[in-house]
Amino acid sequence: MSAEPIAESSDGPLAVPQDRHGLPIIYAPRGYRWQTDAAPRTREPKAAEVTASRIVDDIIEGRVHVGEKLPTEPEMLERYEVSRETLREALRLLEIQGIIDIKRGPGGGPFVAPLNSGYLARTSSLYFHLAGATHAELFQTWAILEPTLAELVAQQPDRKGKRKAFAPYIDYDPQAHQSDELFTDFNNFHSLIAELSGNRVLTLVTQSVTHVVVENVLSAVDPVAEASMLSHSHEDIAIAIVDGRATKARKLMAEHIHEVRDTYLSRSPDQGMTTVEWRL
Amino acid sequence: MSAEPIAESSDGPLAVPQDRHGLPIIYAPRGYRWQTDAAPRTREPKAAEVTASRIVDDIIEGRVHVGEKLPTEPEMLERYEVSRETLREALRLLEIQGIIDIKRGPGGGPFVAPLNSGYLARTSSLYFHLAGATHAELFQTWAILEPTLAELVAQQPDRKGKRKAFAPYIDYDPQAHQSDELFTDFNNFHSLIAELSGNRVLTLVTQSVTHVVVENVLSAVDPVAEASMLSHSHEDIAIAIVDGRATKARKLMAEHIHEVRDTYLSRSPDQGMTTVEWRL
């Protein structure tokens, strides 16, 4: 048991800096029956949000599918019984969250988009940015989530399915790939593990943290220069997961994240104290 | 090391159901230098988002503080050099995310709000809902995050500060509190641990998952009926954290989350398969 190596004590290299920037974070869930009136809480939803939520329900209930166009404006105005302004704001809200894709021009209109964890990442990074969170804190969070996921997937009994899913990472030859393929393959390794966990909350939370790590941090690490290190680590982790060796998978993943972090920080240790950006 | 008891194998009571609803999740970070054009990605930011980002920068850089009013509309139009429509959409975006609070009436206008993790929870729950994630998946995620946080905080060397922070939870007498106070105190226990971790990414991620757990799930558990169980568990965890017993704090927290989950599921095991709502 005991601490993951990355979950260092506060005097480790990932220590939280003394000069903290950013806004304080408030936590105030609504308890319904037991809510105190004094507590700060999220404001009442606006009409546009309620309408957006009804459109989302129609997507979930399969009345309109991914890739399909939503009904016409007059049809939606009749269905949701709101003003044109409210409906348009609802659609803008869903567009901002990546739930629909508004295509311009003839044949255009609002289409249902696939669920892209990049949009949750985008919103999450707004809050990380406002809180003043650093790259070091981002890495530490990633280092907590990824080994747990590797362990969970290793525990899954479907050995055959896992062998098939991880086949591309076993005997991976970096020389045989273009740099953009390397980047995609290396990243997909982590999203594949998140997906195979079978837990969609964990998948979304981890993928959005990974997204922010990649966009803030790893886009500065050259996958070609690191290809040999990355492909060997991925192969070892993949084998441990397929073989159902949960403890080993967890340990190898923790070491892998350490290695990636150290490679990043070796260029300049100060980067760990850089504030996470809100990447639009 | 090794499996948390809650991270059960796929045939445990928290198994992922066979009939999965919800949209598939796509993962496609932008790699900048190495991005393939074929990959789906988040769309280009709109003018309103870029403007929102500049307002956020002004907040972070301390040009306007929490609780203060933003400059007048003419001043902002000059500063950000955008159309009135774009500025207003930017403000609506920030309002939806809880970053600003638009007060109506005389003396009203857009004020900078504190950073409330409830808004990240609200957006996260939209994605959990669309993915078809269940209460069981939510609990499993919570059960992975909370013990790690308890362990991290136990490792913090500032014993005196921790003793002060956790004082309300030691010798807590549920009889001496109203039900709404019980609810607030019990919840704040978890947000306090997230806060003391010193990691703002982890704090925001965990608080938003906890928020969704509380609003979807725990609002159905009566804190008065469970007061004795909850206050004893919290006291034991608090003592382990203050004493710096990281392994024990982790173990007690895992047991605590188990206990809360079992209490919830004991009313009806089917609740574990209920889809997470998008709570506006």
Side-chain angles (χ1 to χ4, degrees):
Chain A
M1 269 295 322
S2 98
E4 285 307 311
I6 194 108
E8 285 140 332
S9 69
S10 63
D11 46 359
L14 287 185
V16 172
Q18 291 309 302
D19 54 331
R20 291 168 73 97
H21 300 285
L23 308 187
I25 302 164
I26 282 188
Y27 172 83
R30 291 166 293 185
Y32 302 108
R33 283 190 283 156
W34 307 286
Q35 182 65 49
T36 60
D37 280 328
R41 63 178 87 183
T42 49
R43 59 169 171 64
E44 287 302 303
K46 299 167 68 176
E49 289 173 288
V50 175
T51 307
S53 155
R54 294 195 54 204
I55 297 172
V56 163
D57 286 340
D58 282 343
I59 295 170
I60 298 216
E61 284 156 26
R63 282 192 204 95
V64 52
H65 296 95
V66 172
E68 286 177 6
K69 200 161 148 179
L70 290 178
T72 63
E73 187 170 89
E75 285 166 341
M76 287 198 278
L77 289 174
E78 201 185 313
R79 175 164 180 83
Y80 304 118
E81 293 174 304
V82 289
S83 70
R84 176 165 303 169
E85 202 195 61
T86 298
L87 176 64
R88 289 187 178 171
E89 196 180 333
L91 293 175
R92 260 199 309 273
L93 283 181
L94 292 174
E95 187 190 14
I96 293 284
Q97 297 294 350
I99 310 302
I100 62 168
D101 184 13
I102 300 181
K103 293 184 183 155
R104 317 287 160 187
F111 288 77
V112 180
L115 194 60
N116 183 335
S117 54
Y119 288 96
L120 178 55
R122 188 182 273 194
T123 299
S124 301
S125 71
L126 164 62
Y127 292 90
F128 300 160
H129 183 61
L130 276 164
T134 63
H135 287 185
E137 290 164 58
L138 196 57
F139 262 120
Q140 190 188 36
T141 306
W142 202 41
I144 285 167
L145 291 167
E146 292 282 351
T148 306
L149 278 170
E151 183 181 356
L152 270 176
V153 178
Q155 288 168 348
Q156 305 274 8
D158 178 14
R159 194 161 194 263
K160 213 168 151 187
K162 289 191 289 186
R163 186 187 298 281
K164 197 175 159 207
F166 286 104
Y169 298 99
I170 294 175
D171 298 323
Y172 189 88
D173 177 11
Q175 308 295 332
H177 297 269
Q178 305 288 329
S179 57
D180 56 355
E181 290 172 351
L182 284 176
F183 181 83
T184 304
D185 289 343
F186 289 161
N187 272 297
N188 284 349
F189 180 73
H190 293 279
S191 76
L192 175 65
I193 293 176
E195 222 179 288
L196 292 175
S197 74
N199 181 324
R200 290 158 287 190
V201 173
L202 204 49
T203 300
L204 282 162
V205 166
T206 308
Q207 284 190 354
S208 76
V209 170
T210 307
H211 243 283
V212 181
V213 172
V214 170
E215 298 199 352
N216 270 268
V217 173
L218 298 190
S219 57
V221 173
D222 186 342
V224 180
E226 307 301 335
S228 168
M229 179 267 274
L230 293 170
S231 57
H232 280 116
S233 297
H234 288 173
E235 180 169 12
D236 293 344
I237 296 166
I239 292 171
I241 288 176
V242 172
D243 288 349
R245 301 188 62 182
T247 304
K248 190 174 183 188
R250 180 183 190 93
K251 185 174 157 278
L252 289 174
M253 181 62 96
E255 287 169 5
H256 170 55
I257 304 286
H258 262 290
E259 208 171 5
V260 172
R261 182 199 63 174
D262 291 346
T263 303
Y264 174 67
L265 293 184
S266 67
R267 302 156 159 254
S268 154
D270 290 349
Q271 284 177 316
M273 296 303 134
T274 307
T275 302
V276 174
E277 279 180 49
W278 181 25
R279 280 279 168 94
L280 285 173
Chain B
M1 273 275 330
S2 97
E4 285 306 314
I6 195 110
E8 285 141 331
S9 70
S10 64
D11 46 359
L14 288 185
V16 173
Q18 291 309 304
D19 53 332
R20 292 168 75 99
H21 300 286
L23 308 188
I25 301 165
I26 282 191
Y27 172 83
R30 291 166 292 186
Y32 302 107
R33 285 191 282 156
W34 307 288
Q35 182 66 47
T36 59
D37 280 328
R41 62 178 89 185
T42 50
R43 60 169 169 62
E44 286 304 299
K46 298 168 68 175
E49 289 173 290
V50 175
T51 308
S53 155
R54 294 195 53 203
I55 297 171
V56 163
D57 285 340
D58 282 343
I59 295 170
I60 298 216
E61 284 156 24
R63 284 190 204 97
V64 52
H65 296 95
V66 172
E68 286 177 6
K69 201 161 148 180
L70 290 178
T72 63
E73 186 169 88
E75 285 167 341
M76 286 197 280
L77 289 175
E78 200 185 312
R79 177 167 179 80
Y80 304 118
E81 294 174 304
V82 290
S83 69
R84 177 165 301 169
E85 204 195 60
T86 298
L87 177 64
R88 287 185 180 172
E89 196 180 332
L91 293 174
R92 261 199 309 271
L93 282 181
L94 293 174
E95 188 190 14
I96 294 283
Q97 296 294 350
I99 311 301
I100 62 169
D101 183 13
I102 300 182
K103 293 184 182 154
R104 317 286 161 187
F111 288 76
V112 180
L115 192 61
N116 185 335
S117 55
Y119 287 97
L120 178 55
R122 187 183 275 194
T123 299
S124 301
S125 71
L126 163 63
Y127 293 91
F128 300 160
H129 182 62
L130 276 164
T134 63
H135 287 184
E137 289 164 59
L138 195 57
F139 262 119
Q140 191 189 35
T141 306
W142 201 39
I144 285 166
L145 291 167
E146 291 282 351
T148 305
L149 277 171
E151 184 180 356
L152 269 177
V153 178
Q155 287 168 348
Q156 306 274 7
D158 178 16
R159 193 163 196 263
K160 215 168 150 187
K162 288 192 288 186
R163 187 189 297 283
K164 198 175 157 206
F166 286 104
Y169 298 98
I170 294 176
D171 297 326
Y172 189 88
D173 178 11
Q175 307 295 332
H177 297 268
Q178 305 287 328
S179 58
D180 56 356
E181 289 172 351
L182 284 176
F183 180 82
T184 303
D185 290 343
F186 289 160
N187 272 297
N188 284 347
F189 180 73
H190 292 280
S191 76
L192 175 64
I193 293 176
E195 221 180 288
L196 292 176
S197 74
N199 182 324
R200 289 157 288 190
V201 173
L202 203 50
T203 300
L204 282 162
V205 166
T206 308
Q207 285 190 354
S208 76
V209 170
T210 307
H211 243 282
V212 182
V213 171
V214 169
E215 298 198 353
N216 269 269
V217 173
L218 298 190
S219 58
V221 172
D222 186 340
V224 179
E226 307 301 336
S228 169
M229 179 266 272
L230 292 170
S231 56
H232 281 116
S233 298
H234 287 173
E235 181 171 10
D236 292 344
I237 296 166
I239 292 171
I241 288 176
V242 172
D243 289 349
R245 302 187 61 182
T247 304
K248 190 174 184 186
R250 179 183 190 95
K251 185 174 157 277
L252 289 173
M253 181 62 96
E255 287 169 5
H256 170 56
I257 304 286
H258 262 290
E259 208 171 6
V260 171
R261 181 198 63 173
D262 291 346
T263 303
Y264 174 66
L265 293 183
S266 67
R267 301 156 159 254
S268 154
D270 290 349
Q271 284 177 315
M273 295 304 134
T274 308
T275 301
V276 173
E277 281 180 47
W278 181 26
R279 281 279 168 93
L280 286 173

